[in-house]
Amino acid sequence: MAHFDSTPPALRHVVVLGHPAEGSFNHAIAERYCETVRACGQEADLRDLYVLDFDPRLRADHRPGSLGNHLSSDVSRELGLLRQADVVVFVYPLWFGMPPAIIKGYVDRVLGAALTPDSIAHNVPDAVLDGRTFATLSTSATTRAWLEEQGQWQSLHQAFDRYLLSIFGMADGGHTHFEAVVDDLDPQYAREMLETVEQTARALCSTLAAARHAIGARRALESFAIAE
């Protein structure tokens, strides 16, 4: 008799990093997040967009719904990872109050690969991202209070975070922001921020594990009821 393994696959986090400088604090954030996820028994895929030489430009023949549209190999590869993901995490610095172009390009070319304007208008769930959890870890050289005074924090939250959650049907995993991240960063302050990254990762891992356990328990009860 064939044996079927009923053990579900490990919960998976895809971490998308958008910072050009090797050894940046954003790199430290992404690496600490991934290390914590793995320590919790879950899987993490780090996608360093600059190391991957990711092209953020959306070309005319790659637009969703356009005649002759086809997926490039790099987009197909990213979508393959996202299909296996339970969590999508963006890690990036704020430049001029917004995410860098390479992150926006990842949204344009990868997250939005199959989402047409008509799909958005009619609230059609995205086949790849619907039901995933979306979280953000961002940094800025200025303080969050200053960003709020300029109206940039509210604009970012509304135009980027909430909008992406809405059109792609993802669950809100939170936006953790680290302020006053500069070149001569105080070591103690850096350690405290990385501890926050670890706490954030552990909380997300715990939430995912609890949700999976609840689903498993409900299905077991349903199966028991049917057997009765």
Side-chain angles (χ1 to χ4, degrees), residues 118-139:
D118 187 64
S119 298
I120 296 173
H122 293 88
N123 298 314
V124 177
D126 184 78
V128 175
L129 298 170
D130 185 44
R132 272 56 174 182
T133 297
F134 176 65
T136 300
L137 298 165
S138 63
T139 65

Side-chain angles (χ1 to χ4, degrees), residues 16-21 24-27 29 50 90-103 136-141 156 175 177-178 181:
V16 182
L17 170 61
H19 196 289
S24 71
F25 190 67
N26 278 257
H27 281 74
I29 288 173
Y50 282 94
F90 278 3
V91 181
Y92 58 79
L94 290 183
W95 287 340
F96 300 101
M98 293 297 291
I102 203 163
I103 287 289
T136 300
L137 298 165
S138 63
T139 65
S140 65
L156 174 68
H175 186 149
H177 182 69
F178 301 101
V181 176

Side-chain angles (χ1 to χ4, degrees), residues 153-207:
W153 182 256
Q154 295 86 341
S155 296
L156 174 68
H157 183 60
Q158 183 67 38
F160 202 69
D161 295 346
R162 292 186 61 185
Y163 183 73
L164 295 184
L165 290 168
S166 175
I167 66 171
F168 292 116
M170 295 185 287
D172 189 359
H175 186 149
T176 304
H177 182 69
F178 301 101
E179 61 182 6
V181 176
V182 292
D183 289 339
D184 56 344
L185 197 59
D186 177 73
Q188 179 59 34
Y189 181 44
R191 284 192 293 271
E192 291 172 357
M193 287 189 287
L194 291 177
E195 287 174 3
T196 299
V197 172
E198 185 172 331
Q199 292 166 7
T200 300
R202 288 187 182 279
L204 275 171
C205 287
S206 178
T207 298

